[in-house]
Amino acid sequence: MQLEWLRLEHFRNYPQLFLDGFSETNVFFGKNAQGKTNLLESIYLLATLQTLRPAANKDLVAWEKETAYLEGKLSYQDIHRTFSVQIHEKSKRPKINDKSIKKTKEYFGLMNVISFSPLDLQTLQGPPQNRRRYLDRALFHFDPMYAQEIGRYMRALIQRNAALKLEQGSQIEIWGEKLIQSGAYIVSKRLQFIEKLNTLTPCLYQEISGLDGAVEVRYEAAVSCPLNVSDEETIRQILSEEQRRLAWQERKFKRSLVGPHRDEFSMYLNEKNFRTFGSQGEQRTAILALKLSELEALKREKGIKPIFLLDDIASELDTDRRNFLFQSLRNKNVQVFVTTTDPENVNVNKNKAKMYKVHQGSVTEV
Ligand SMILES: Nc1ncnc2c1ncn2[C@@H]1O[C@H](COP(=O)(O)OP(=O)(O)OP(=O)(O)O)[C@@H](O)[C@H]1O
Ligand SMILES: [Mg+2]
């Protein structure tokens, strides 16, 4: 996958920007607070309609403006598509080839982007919802149906919690069924994805760190029996049983207590949880191994080489780990957009890479 060009209007600190002729490796360097992360964020947003950092729509639109506009042309095999998103305070309106997209599932999965930024440490360190978000975002690339099922699940959850508050017995039942139907699909896909990660992540972790050690990713479902099957029907039965078991508690607390909105995952190094035992560097390496596994899985399973966004990479990793990262991205022939305050920290072939200087919301190729 190759982004050919990018246009921004009134996005964050960019009044207007048009960049054409991207190379396989594109390095954006500049001082702090110039717009480097904003630029990567615009690419991420075009691909996923989500932001890299938590942000409301109005934060994305340049201050004192009403609307922001992003547009980019993507080439994949022999297909060229122009993606665009218009952002208002209350909405994001996506289009592909100038055609409005009403259902997000028609948008997801066509432009694949994986990012690695300092914020990713929060995937391991932060609350469980960060880990659920990581799984869900990763799965959007593999299966556009997954995004739709997450939408259905969240709707059922809101409706059921409302019914629990109002003590509406039949509604609790109806939405409970829907919750389990979508929930089983979600859990089975997450388990399958974690299985894939476990065939790739341990090796990558060893390669990046240069150290031996058994790494494992474990899905932690909030159910009373171990959930180590990815068969949807079996999961449905387990969730149903669990919902029956906790029915009285759900009515007491007026909240749905069963389903993938309560699950998460952990990563272990020699049976020790990275979250509690890992150093910052070990945690970064673990996340990087996850992201590179995602990249490899997409390539193997779907033949897709996603775009890789690396924000502020210099501050993240030591020299050996950085070298390994750039080497492996080169070997995989993926298009990379990198930001850094110091171009010396980026180990790229300067003859092949394009270098851009970012200064106060404008970008110059150097
Ligand atoms: N909606 C907005 N309108 C105008 N400016 C904004 C908006 N949102 C963010 N900014 C500004 O954009 C500037 C650049 O932010 P960005 O995060 O891209 O910097 P950066 O170059 O990545 O810096 P660092 O090296 O510190 O990470 C910041 O000064 C920020 O205040
Ligand atoms: Mg930044």
Side-chain angles (χ1 to χ4, degrees), residues 31-38 53 118 311-312 339 341:
K31 296 197 168 133
N32 293 136
Q34 302 303 311
K36 302 182 298 298
T37 302
N38 292 348
R53 304 165 275 193
D311 194 22
D312 210 359
T339 71
T341 46

Side-chain angles (χ1 to χ4, degrees), residues 10-14 30-41 53 57-64 311-312 339-341 358 361:
H10 306 310
F11 178 74
R12 298 263 201 197
N13 71 330
Y14 288 96
K31 296 197 168 133
N32 293 136
Q34 302 303 311
K36 302 182 298 298
T37 302
N38 292 348
L39 199 99
L40 293 195
E41 185 166 56
R53 304 165 275 193
N57 286 349
K58 72 171 174 29
D59 303 329
L60 304 171
V61 181
W63 296 322
E64 326 219 327
D311 194 22
D312 210 359
T339 71
T340 180
T341 46
V358 183

Side-chain angles (χ1 to χ4, degrees), residues 5-19 38-39 42 46 57 59-63 65-72 84-88 361:
W5 53 256
L6 177 70
R7 182 195 308 283
L8 311 182
E9 277 170 33
H10 306 310
F11 178 74
R12 298 263 201 197
N13 71 330
Y14 288 96
Q16 299 275 345
L17 180 74
F18 180 72
L19 294 174
N38 292 348
L39 199 99
S42 71
L46 264 182
N57 286 349
D59 303 329
L60 304 171
V61 181
W63 296 322
K65 296 287 172 192
E66 303 263 301
T67 313
Y69 184 72
L70 314 176
E71 192 179 7
S84 68
V85 186
Q86 200 168 44
I87 307 167
H88 302 269

Side-chain angles (χ1 to χ4, degrees), residues 142-176:
F142 286 90
D143 180 7
M145 282 293 291
Y146 186 86
Q148 182 178 308
E149 219 56 61
I150 287 279
R152 283 196 185 134
Y153 185 82
M154 294 319 287
R155 259 191 311 281
L157 184 63
I158 291 167
Q159 296 288 349
R160 186 160 187 270
N161 285 349
L164 280 162
K165 282 203 180 69
L166 299 170
E167 298 179 8
Q168 297 168 322
S170 63
Q171 292 296 308
I172 297 173
E173 286 298 311
I174 292 168
W175 290 111

